[in-house]
Amino acid sequence: MRPEHMALAKPIALASSQSSAAADGATLQFWRRCTQTGFFLLFLLAPALNLLRFDLNETQLWFLGMRWSLGIDEFMAGRMTGAEVSLAITLRAIVPVVLLIGTFLTIAYRWGRLYCGWLCPHFSVVESLNRLMHKASGKFSLWDSSPTARAGVQSSSHYWPVFALACVLMGFAWAITLLTYLLPPAEVWGNLVDGSLTANQTRFLVAATTIFTLEFTLARHLFCRFGCAVGYFQSVAWMANPRAMVVAFSRDRARECKQCDLPRGSACDSACPMRLNPRNIKRMMFSCVQCGQCISACDQSQSTQGRTRTLEWKVGLDALRETLHQRRHDAGEQH
């Protein structure tokens, strides 16, 4: 290759790698949004499709479009023996619950809080409301001490009414959806449209809407970090496995990381929706939801400067090496 061609090839390759890194990060987040949207729709529509709900009127569980019975009523009526109802309870209640919990914790043990970051309908709302609040105030929470700068985002107080309305609408959507998990959806929506809600239905909707609106307004990711039992047990399982997937940081390139998004600082600092520092050690990342936003931000910011990212997922033996490296680092700091 001629020297002039070699001189042209380097910037072309650099530009190609930059666009490829940005595309990889965008693709990752696109698919994550798809899984979140799909699961959110499933959460809203499951009662109407009888995929999962418990009808208080009939004291009947519906699952995958079928009446799910443990045989207790048949036993009381003398149509089933004690052995038959025991077998029904084992196969239709105990075994499914054990398998569900076991599978859920096994996934968390290996990959962390994937459910939170990729499926959880509450976390989908949290991320959307965080972005709206940031557009309104430059902060991601009312409790942030100072604004967080993001490239290309200019805050404006005009977004405050939009944020407030979104909190109320999401609070109401959550309240009425939960009610349809307990009562026939046709009855709930029919009474709402006709203005004929019962006293108990009205009290439930008012109370639940108020509670969820306050939570979406004041807590959001703070609830995910400190108040969600589902997230907590995933984190405990994840922390127990030194080979579990982690976001690893190339500490030998820390100087590059600090300068990756000047004058704002490090790009990953403002990317994490749980308000964590992605470059921290694993025990300080207890609430990480494996959303990959920090990695996508790192990809984009470092590639614009012709460098590879300093954050990446590690799992298995590579994750164990990262954990051991962190322990040695901690031991060195203590001495």
Side-chain angles (χ1 to χ4, degrees):
M1 184 180 291
R2 295 180 180 180
E4 60 270 22
H5 291 168
M6 294 177 62
L8 287 173
K10 186 174 182 179
I12 291 174
L14 177 59
S16 176
S17 64
Q18 291 173 2
S19 61
S20 176
D24 289 344
T27 300
L28 175 70
Q29 295 308 316
F30 168 78
W31 285 113
R32 193 174 72 90
R33 295 298 180 202
C34 287
T35 60
Q36 286 182 312
T37 301
F39 203 80
F40 188 82
L41 292 175
L42 180 63
F43 166 71
L44 295 178
L45 297 176
L49 299 176
N50 286 329
L51 296 178
L52 179 64
R53 69 181 181 90
F54 185 82
D55 194 328
L56 290 177
N57 292 340
E58 301 179 350
T59 60
Q60 174 66 57
L61 174 67
W62 286 83
F63 181 65
L64 298 180
M66 301 178 292
R67 292 178 180 271
W68 199 260
S69 173
L70 301 181
I72 296 176
D73 291 338
E74 288 79 358
F75 173 73
M76 296 298 292
R79 294 189 294 268
M80 288 183 70
T81 65
E84 289 174 334
V85 75
S86 297
L87 181 62
I89 291 174
T90 301
L91 295 180
R92 296 188 179 187
I94 298 176
V95 171
V97 169
V98 170
L99 287 176
L100 176 63
I101 295 176
T103 302
F104 188 74
L105 292 180
T106 299
I107 292 173
Y109 183 78
R110 175 70 171 174
W111 292 288
R113 293 175 65 166
L114 283 183
Y115 169 78
C116 296
W118 289 74
L119 296 176
C120 178
H122 178 270
F123 192 69
S124 305
V125 175
V126 166
E127 289 189 86
S128 299
L129 293 177
N130 276 2
R131 286 191 292 268
L132 277 177
M133 172 164 276
H134 188 257
K135 288 183 178 181
S137 64
K139 300 179 180 181
F140 291 99
S141 169
L142 292 174
W143 316 115
D144 287 355
S145 58
S146 59
T148 300
R150 267 189 174 179
V153 178
Q154 185 68 39
S155 60
S156 170
S157 59
H158 294 106
Y159 279 96
W160 276 117
V162 179
F163 170 76
L165 179 62
C167 288
V168 174
L169 291 177
M170 283 296 102
F172 176 75
W174 231 253
I176 197 166
T177 299
L178 290 184
L179 187 57
T180 61
Y181 275 88
L182 302 174
L183 295 173
E187 174 188 333
V188 174
W189 283 103
N191 289 352
L192 180 67
V193 172
D194 296 338
S196 57
L197 290 169
T198 66
N200 286 337
Q201 291 171 357
T202 301
R203 280 192 286 266
F204 180 92
L205 287 177
V206 171
T209 299
T210 301
I211 292 171
F212 281 115
T213 298
L214 289 174
E215 191 268 326
F216 286 139
T217 304
L218 303 175
R220 292 192 309 283
H221 58 273
L222 297 177
F223 171 80
C224 297
R225 288 183 64 175
F226 305 112
C228 179
V230 175
Y232 175 80
F233 284 111
Q234 288 180 91
S235 292
V236 170
W238 178 62
M239 293 295 290
N241 181 13
R243 295 172 179 261
M245 186 169 71
V246 295
V247 175
F249 171 51
S250 302
R251 289 171 177 79
D252 56 331
R253 296 174 54 196
R255 185 181 300 276
E256 297 176 7
C257 187
K258 291 180 180 180
Q259 302 170 356
C260 76
D261 194 32
L262 293 175
R264 289 168 292 277
S266 300
C268 62
D269 285 340
S270 62
C272 179
M274 294 292 274
R275 315 310 303 135
L276 303 174
N277 182 341
R279 302 186 307 280
N280 235 327
I281 58 178
K282 180 178 178 178
R283 63 183 175 83
M284 301 299 292
M285 296 291 289
F286 184 81
S287 303
C288 175
V289 296
Q290 308 292 14
C291 65
Q293 292 195 57
C294 57
I295 296 176
S296 297
C298 182
D299 241 343
Q300 185 173 5
S301 63
Q302 293 288 0
S303 64
T304 57
Q305 301 177 62
R307 300 191 293 255
T308 58
R309 65 192 182 197
T310 59
L311 295 178
E312 60 181 330
W313 272 314
K314 298 282 189 181
V315 67
L317 187 59
D318 289 335
L320 177 60
R321 292 194 186 99
E322 176 70 14
T323 301
L324 294 175
H325 178 77
Q326 292 171 356
R327 290 176 181 173
R328 288 194 297 269
H329 182 266
D330 287 350
E333 284 188 344
Q334 290 175 1
H335 292 297

